[in-house]
């Protein structure tokens, strides 16, 4: 695995670099040596944040963890990445069952990733427990933000009056708002 480690408002000391590589080296059993692991450390006030991004064929394995101690954040991010990998493995295995030719593993993973039985978790399956239907009336993104705030939600789906497309506004961690617009290829 190739580590690309950078820092924003923080110096990446040899100790931090060593800890990151040691923790994330546990993932080595899953990936080929060419796989890049992009790590960004940042500090904002008292928040110590680590972002780990692993581009794999057609998908991105990513986790972002924040705490008041960078070493705690590093521990947390490693656990989350492992959990995501188990779910991703289950998805790939389920997709390939019944389709022997579809079982070819993405080139970013080692063969052992798919062969180890002990990693498969059944309780990690995705379940939709509730479906909501609602009428969508055209509105401007700013009005959608106001409506979202009035409802006390952290996102709001609406029909954009300017584009006639379904959009989503959401509340960001920094308190600002974001807008998601569809992009059709």
């Amino acid at each position: 695995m190739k580590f690309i480690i950078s820092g924003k408002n923080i110096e990446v000391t040899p100790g931090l670099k060593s800890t990151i590589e040691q923790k994330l080296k546990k993932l080595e059993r899953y990936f080929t040596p060419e796989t890049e692991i992009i790590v960004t450390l940042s500090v904002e006030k008292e928040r110590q944040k680590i972002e780990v991004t692993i581009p794999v064929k057609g998908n991105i394995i990513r986790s972002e963890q924040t705490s008041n101690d960078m070493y705690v954040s590093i521990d947390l991010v490693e656990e989350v990445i492992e959990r995501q990998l188990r779910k991703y493995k289950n998805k790939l295995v389920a997709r390939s069952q019944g389709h022997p030719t579809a079982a070819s593993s993405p080139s970013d993973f080692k063969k052992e990733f798919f062969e180890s039985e002990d990693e498969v978790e059944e309780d990690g399956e995705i379940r939709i427990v509730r479906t909501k239907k609602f009428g969508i009336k055209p509105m401007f993104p700013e009005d959608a933000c106001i409506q979202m705030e009035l409802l006390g939600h952290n996102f709001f789906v609406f029909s954009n009056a300017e584009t006639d497309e379904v959009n989503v506004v959401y509340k960001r961690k920094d308190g600002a708002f974001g807008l998601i617009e569809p992009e059709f290829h």
Side-chain angles (χ1 to χ4, degrees):
M1 297 182 320
K2 298 176 186 171
F3 289 95
I4 301 168
I5 302 172
S6 61
K8 293 178 186 173
N9 300 330
I10 185 174
E11 179 188 344
V12 181
T13 63
L16 274 174
K17 186 176 180 180
S18 170
T19 301
I20 291 166
E21 289 178 357
Q22 177 187 349
K23 275 288 180 187
L24 297 180
K25 211 147 186 81
K26 294 176 185 176
L27 305 175
E28 195 170 48
R29 63 183 179 210
Y30 301 125
F31 297 104
T32 59
E34 305 82 44
T35 304
E36 287 186 347
I37 296 184
I38 303 155
V39 179
T40 305
L41 305 175
S42 61
V43 175
E44 244 179 68
K45 296 179 184 169
E46 297 297 315
R47 296 176 38 199
Q48 310 269 324
K49 182 165 85 171
I50 180 171
E51 299 172 49
V52 176
T53 306
I54 308 170
V56 292
K57 195 175 195 170
N59 285 298
I60 294 176
I61 307 289
R62 184 178 186 286
S63 179
E64 176 181 308
Q65 297 297 318
T66 306
S67 73
N68 59 359
D69 180 348
M70 187 59 79
Y71 292 95
V72 171
S73 297
I74 293 168
D75 287 342
L76 292 171
V77 84
E78 187 265 332
E79 291 171 16
V80 171
I81 293 284
E82 283 233 59
R83 193 168 38 238
Q84 287 179 350
L85 284 169
R86 286 192 296 270
K87 285 182 180 180
Y88 185 64
K89 174 184 172 180
N90 288 343
K91 181 176 149 185
L92 291 174
V93 168
R95 188 182 299 162
S96 69
Q97 287 180 347
H99 304 286
T101 56
S104 59
S105 61
S107 60
D108 297 299
F109 293 100
K110 289 182 177 177
K111 190 172 65 173
E112 294 84 5
F113 176 64
F114 294 97
E115 293 174 350
S116 63
E117 295 289 327
D118 56 356
E119 295 289 332
V120 179
E121 271 184 8
E122 292 301 320
D123 64 349
E125 79 180 50
I126 297 170
R127 291 183 14 234
I128 297 173
V129 295
R130 184 175 181 196
T131 300
K132 261 187 162 176
K133 293 185 180 191
F134 58 96
I136 297 181
K137 67 176 189 173
M139 60 177 61
F140 294 97
E142 294 78 11
D143 297 329
C145 290
I146 292 169
Q147 185 66 43
M148 175 183 64
E149 291 282 294
L150 290 172
L151 292 170
H153 293 171
N154 54 8
F155 72 94
F156 186 77
V157 180
F158 69 102
S159 174
N160 191 322
E162 297 168 327
T163 63
D164 287 332
E165 293 180 333
V166 173
N167 288 182
V168 176
V169 289
Y170 63 95
K171 186 93 169 208
R172 295 171 43 94
K173 288 180 184 174
D174 63 6
F177 297 98
L179 174 67
I180 300 174
E181 300 176 305
E183 183 176 79
F184 301 101
H185 298 289

